[in-house]
Amino acid sequence: MATQIGTPVSRVDGHAKVTGAAKYAGEFNVPGLAYGALVTSTIAKGRIARIDASKALGVEGVIAVLTHENRPKMADDDRSYKDDVAPEGSPFRPLYNANILFSGQPIALVLAEEWEIARFAASLVTVDYERQTPVTDLYRERNQAFTLEGDAFAMSLAKPRSDARKAFAASDVRHQADYFIPVEHHNPMELYAATVIWEGGGKLTVYDKTQGVQNVQRYLCGVFGLKSENVRVLSPFAGGAFGSGLRPEFEAPLAVLGALAMKRSVRLVLTRQQMYALCYRPATIENLAIGAKSDGTLEAMMHEATAMTSRHEAFARNDTTWSGALYKCPNAKYSHKLVRLDLPTPCDMRAPGAATGVYGLESAMDELALALDIDPLELRYRSYCDRDQNEDLPFTSNELRECYRQGAKAFGWEKRKPEPRSMREGKELIGWGMATGVWEALQMEFAARITLTANGHAEVSCATSDIGTGTYTIMTQVAADMLGLPPESISIKLGDSSLPHSPVEGGSWTAASVSHAIANAAHDVRAELFDLAVKVPASPLAGLTFDDATVGEGMFVSKEDSSRAVPFADAMRHAGRDRIEHERSTDFKDVSNCARNVHSAIFAEVKVDEELGVIRVTRVVSAVAAGRILNPKTAHSQIMGSVVWGIGMALHEESLIDHRFGRFMNANIAEYHIPTNADIYDIKVIFVDERDAIINPLGIKGVGEIGIVGVAAAIANAVYHATGKRVRDLPITLDKLQL
Ligand code: MOS
């Protein structure tokens, strides 16, 4: 019955997106909309001594200037500000009091009849501060780091195995080094925006740029003490997010604050510069120590990550435990340390933890291979492990070996000359590098509702988001197959807090989760429909059981004899039904007795101009094993996009802090470099066939984040192979290469 699942269907929302019919949070219009603009702090630490808004208020068209002194009431306990994915600590409260926690903190909201007026008036607000000296340098504060234990860790920290320190000291060949990933900002195309519609009667409709409408809804109710039936949050489309929309950011609460203050609809769109004060990937030092026997057998794996967080929250992700899980190694040790700095709280960004930690691991493995004089791919084969080493569990499925094999073949790895600087073309040095990628195959509790109407149309709804990943499309495909309807007869509703339960869209868990909620709801729809179908007068299906029949082309059909069929419309008409509706949740079986991961092998070619040091990533092959691929076209785009971000991580992206002011200096996309079309050459994506009968009934593991993990290491390893220069601090820029 699968005619849609597994086929490269084009995006069902593609037309709406390219024609501009798809509306984003800042594009919903209502009469009487007021516009907000932020005043943000120019210091990183201290207090507001005085805010003078009189000049701003004198501008024609300005309605109000809200500060901590005159704002409407907000909750005064930490708990009310905790969202579903908040780390341990005390969440930042916008416009709450006079304290300044980071540079760029919103300190006033100017509301005006026009956006330009609001923005101009914001420039007239003057602020006196009591300044304190901010501390924002991770390296300088490294010795102040504290070690995270237990609950502080959002993902579990695996236990050490045996005595890794001793085993490392006794190893024939040892490699130990620090690898550094700087602060990176998500920079999604769509700016942070919220449009709050004042519905009257105490009701608010909030269009927000978010990855989790129900998370934002709960947060707003908590912060403003609103009843949940009075707040509806919508996000039908999101112009990229990459993790930046997982937590409620301050555009939504501030727009609500303005709406409550004025009893009027409000829009707040942040500027690109202001978005740098929201959230970011924390700069992290990854210390790797790997010991091996001279034949390449790993003896010890130690990984210590030291990452930055804010003073007020302890954000951390699993950087380290991939190291001991991935390769056969009897002794392993991990620790995760945090340094508190006067910065906003970091947040999830593009495979949080793995993108950074595996960069360290896979760079270190390359250096170890070199020290052992073993081909880097051969070292991965020699240390290959069929079980998760941390928990000593089998995988639900794991085709990593096939990723290596197919990736290497497609890339032509066997033609690689091992010595650095041994391959060239004209004045360019050629380098080939590889790395492994790994991510968790996560699945969460989701619910979906299907409403089938007698005209043969089904509406499928879930509160989840589509952050550009293709969720609308895969939901359509799954529903079409499960209901036996053509995709044109399916419509999807999502991104609305009033719809059935969904956590934030993150962790690459949405495809597996929402698909199973749909499959379960569709089962119930089919069961009810079948009962009606056998009751049709002189039913061709009479005498059959539910399992004897299947669905297709809007009909129930006997599996044995396709001439025996009852159209859904007939079944419903005879029963006098105009709709059949069922809502179900995922109800996943417990699979905690297995390790659940997706894997990849990345092969990269760089060409480095020997005179100028300019690096081009001319070829990338990414071979991914991620269970059943629902849609090879959207999945391919996901991996391609992730590889592009991996190239950005390796060569371009870096948010630089001026530690004197505790401020991001390159807070714009002119100076925060991201890959552009001219930086991207050939990217080949291979999906390795991976059947998984254990993880969930459809064998779906999810793609997205797996595409970035390992890419930066493969490129850094290729740069070394090309040049003989090892740059461990990302991004690899000309100045660091100095050929
Ligand atoms: Mo992802 S960084 O969980 O949006």
Side-chain angles (χ1 to χ4, degrees), residues 23-36 190-199 204-209 220 231-236 251-256 259 264-270:
K23 279 187 159 190
Y24 295 79
E27 298 180 328
F28 290 87
N29 288 317
V30 283
L33 193 61
Y35 296 81
E190 184 192 6
L191 300 172
Y192 280 84
T195 303
V196 176
I197 297 172
W198 181 261
E199 306 278 10
L204 297 177
T205 302
V206 180
Y207 290 93
D208 186 28
K209 191 267 167 73
L220 293 174
V231 182
R232 182 174 170 200
V233 179
L234 297 110
S235 178
E251 79 286 350
L254 289 179
V256 168
R264 167 171 182 181
S265 301
V266 170
R267 171 174 306 149
L268 176 61
V269 182
L270 304 194

Side-chain angles (χ1 to χ4, degrees), residues 157-170:
L157 189 57
K159 290 184 181 55
R161 286 198 295 284
S162 188
D163 193 339
R165 226 176 262 283
K166 210 168 122 192
F168 179 71

Side-chain angles (χ1 to χ4, degrees), residues 135-198:
V135 177
T136 53
D137 188 340
L138 175 67
Y139 272 103
R140 224 193 69 190
E141 298 301 303
R142 191 176 184 179
N143 55 356
Q144 304 290 320
F146 64 97
T147 303
L148 267 185
E149 281 163 51
D151 290 347
F153 224 147
M155 296 187 193
S156 64
L157 189 57
K159 290 184 181 55
R161 286 198 295 284
S162 188
D163 193 339
R165 226 176 262 283
K166 210 168 122 192
F168 179 71
S171 296
D172 296 341
V173 178
R174 291 186 296 269
H175 169 71
Q176 179 161 21
D178 276 348
Y179 299 86
F180 177 69
I181 303 95
V183 170
E184 298 166 7
H185 278 82
H186 307 72
N187 276 305
M189 200 165 17
E190 184 192 6
L191 300 172
Y192 280 84
T195 303
V196 176
I197 297 172
W198 181 261

Side-chain angles (χ1 to χ4, degrees), residues 211 242-243 246 348-352 467 505-508 705:
Q211 293 172 245
F242 317 122
L246 290 170
D348 290 311
M349 175 171 163
R350 308 183 197 140
I467 56 173
E505 173 161 57
S508 303
E705 284 162 304

